[in-house]
Amino acid sequence: MSRRPLAHIDLSALQHNLARVKQLAANSQVLAVLKANAYGHGLVQVAQALHQADAFAVARIDEALALRTGGIVKPIVLLEGFYEAAELPVLLANNLQTVVHNQLQLEALEQTPLAGQLKVWLKIDTGMHRLGIAPAQTDEYYRRLWQCATVQPGIRLMSHFCCADELAAPQTLQQLALFQQLCADKAEQCSLANSAGIIAWPQSQLDWVRPGLMLHGISPMLGQLGRDHLLLPVMRLSSRVIAMRQVKQGDTVGYGASWQAKADTVIAVIAIGYGDGYPRHAANGTPVWLNGRIVHLAGRVSMDMITVDLGPEPDATIGDEAVLWGPELPIEQVATAAGTVAYELLCNITPRVDYRYTNIK
C-alpha cells in the first residue's frame, strides 16, 4: 500500500460539469479555461475529457504548446497574449489565438511580417484594472486590428469581472453595462462571463462563456458549495493514516506546541503535508474526512504529515484512508477553514502526489 497521497480525478464528473455549463448558458459557446495545469487537475487529461467544449483557454504559450503536443486540436486562446514579437510565428504555426491587451502587442502585430493571419481577442478593462486597454481606446485598437494584415477578420471582444462572486457588489452590473456599450456598434462575438457570471449573472452570457473553477465542481460564489449549483467535485485528494498515538489531557502536538489536548484523546498521523501541497497555514480545526466522519486538524501542518484529533474512541487504524477534500468533504469548506480559496489549494499540489484518472466517456 502506497503512502503517497492520491489525487483521484473523476473525468465523468468533469464532463457532467461541462454539461451543466451548457445547460446554464445554452446560447453561448464554451471557452474552457485550463490554466495552471487545469487548476491542478492535469492539463492534457482534462482537455481530452472536455471534448464537448468549443475551445480552450490557457494563460501562457507553454501551456498551449503542451496541449498541442498532447494531441489537442481544438482552438486555444492565450489569455495573457504573447510577450514578444518573436512568439508570433510560433502562434501561427500552432494555430493559437491571442488576446491583445496592450500597445506593445498591437504594434508587434502591425510590424511583424507573418505568413498568415492570427485570430485575435481584444481585451477591454471595464473595471478589473489588471489586463486590458482603457475603454476610451477601444475604437482605435479595434480599427487598427481590422487594418492589420496579420490579423484575421472578425475580432472577438472580451472583458473580465472583478466581483461577480459577490451578489451585492455593484461593479458587476456597471462592468456589464460599459462592455455592452463599447460593443454595441461592433458586429463581433463577445465574451464576459466567467464561472460566477455563468451562475449568477445570466445577462452576461454573451457569445462565449469562460468557465474555469466550476468545471471542476467548485462554486465560484462566496459562501456557496459546488453542489448548490448541481456541480460534482472532480478531485478527491486522499492519503493514509501512518501512525496513531494516545495523548493525555494537557499534552501538546506538533511544532510550536500550538495545539493542546483538552482531554485524553487519540491522535492520528496522516501522510500528507505542505511538501505535497496541503496548506501549511491550515489552522487547528480544519476538517478531514476519516472513516465516515469529520475529524479535525490538531497541530501545525508539517512538510510530510498532518495530525488529527480522533477523540477517545478513535474508530481508526493504521492504513485507513483519509480524504482531504472531495465528494465526502467539499474543498470550499477546507479552504475557508484554512483561510484561503479553493483555487490555491488546487494549484499548490506538488509532483509528490500521485494522480489517477477514471470514468472517461
Side-chain angles (χ1 to χ4, degrees):
M1 181 183 300
S2 173
R3 290 185 179 180
R4 286 169 64 107
L6 172 66
H8 173 246
I9 309 299
D10 184 348
L11 296 172
S12 66
L14 184 74
Q15 293 168 336
H16 165 90
N17 297 334
L18 175 59
R20 180 65 176 145
V21 170
K22 288 176 171 284
Q23 182 182 39
L24 290 169
N27 297 318
S28 304
Q29 296 187 77
V30 177
L31 179 61
V33 180
L34 305 184
K35 59 186 180 178
N37 194 32
Y39 294 63
H41 289 71
L43 179 64
V44 174
Q45 295 90 339
V46 167
Q48 290 171 340
L50 291 178
H51 48 78
Q52 294 297 319
D54 298 290
F56 298 123
V58 295
R60 300 168 183 170
I61 190 171
D62 58 305
E63 296 171 323
L65 295 177
L67 285 176
R68 289 288 185 246
T69 301
I72 302 301
V73 298
K74 284 184 179 288
I76 300 174
V77 181
L78 299 179
L79 293 175
E80 294 180 0
F82 59 94
Y83 295 160
E84 55 187 5
E87 293 177 343
L88 290 173
V90 179
L91 269 61
L92 185 63
N94 289 277
N95 192 26
L96 304 179
Q97 303 179 15
T98 184
V99 168
V100 168
H101 57 78
N102 65 44
Q103 182 175 344
L104 292 177
Q105 291 171 328
L106 175 62
E107 292 175 349
L109 285 167
E110 291 175 325
Q111 298 169 11
T112 305
L114 292 176
Q117 293 180 314
L118 294 168
K119 171 63 75 175
V120 166
W121 299 62
L122 177 59
K123 186 163 192 176
I124 305 165
D125 177 15
T126 57
M128 180 74 164
H129 300 322
R130 191 176 61 181
L131 295 182
I133 63 170
Q137 297 176 300
T138 301
D139 287 345
E140 177 196 353
Y141 272 66
Y142 179 73
R143 174 183 55 80
R144 288 171 65 177
L145 286 170
W146 258 104
Q147 295 172 347
C148 186
T150 59
V151 173
Q152 288 183 19
I155 298 153
R156 293 172 182 162
L157 304 171
M158 67 185 301
S159 190
H160 193 56
F161 285 133
C162 62
C163 298
D165 57 341
E166 302 178 45
L167 292 176
Q171 292 93 333
T172 300
L173 291 178
Q174 294 168 1
Q175 287 188 262
L176 175 61
L178 176 57
F179 187 66
Q180 290 177 322
Q181 175 188 339
L182 295 169
C183 298
D185 61 345
K186 300 171 181 63
E188 304 290 2
Q189 293 185 346
C190 300
S191 177
L192 184 56
N194 54 5
S195 290
I198 294 167
I199 288 172
W201 308 93
Q203 63 270 51
S204 72
Q205 298 167 6
L206 306 176
D207 301 289
W208 288 84
V209 293
R210 307 193 305 272
L213 192 67
M214 70 180 297
L215 287 174
H216 306 292
I218 302 165
S219 173
M221 308 305 298
L222 293 178
Q224 299 180 13
L225 304 177
R227 63 190 180 209
D228 297 332
H229 312 295
L230 306 183
L231 302 171
L232 300 177
V234 175
M235 180 187 290
R236 182 179 188 268
L237 181 66
S238 64
S239 191
R240 298 281 174 179
V241 175
I242 60 169
M244 297 178 63
R245 126 176 1 261
Q246 293 183 339
V247 299
K248 299 294 185 180
Q249 180 180 358
D251 286 349
T252 62
V253 175
Y255 288 119
S258 65
W259 183 88
Q260 186 174 39
K262 296 180 180 178
D264 293 355
T265 191
V266 176
I267 294 294
V269 181
I270 300 169
I272 194 168
Y274 61 79
D276 306 290
Y278 192 83
R280 184 182 181 276
H281 52 270
N284 291 326
T286 298
V288 174
W289 189 90
L290 178 64
N291 289 344
R293 67 185 177 116
I294 296 295
V295 296
H296 298 95
L297 211 64
R300 289 184 186 169
V301 175
S302 302
M303 184 181 293
D304 314 298
M305 293 170 279
I306 60 172
T307 44
V308 295
D309 180 13
L310 302 184
E313 298 180 5
D315 189 27
T317 188
I318 292 174
D320 284 351
E321 181 188 52
V323 177
L324 292 312
W325 58 74
E328 302 89 342
L329 176 59
I331 191 173
E332 297 95 333
Q333 294 179 354
V334 180
T336 298
T340 185
V341 292
Y343 298 89
E344 184 181 23
L345 297 183
L346 295 171
C347 291
N348 282 353
I349 295 174
T350 74
R352 299 207 315 176
V353 174
D354 288 330
Y355 277 67
R356 180 185 301 157
Y357 295 86
T358 59
N359 298 328
I360 189 167
K361 294 180 181 179

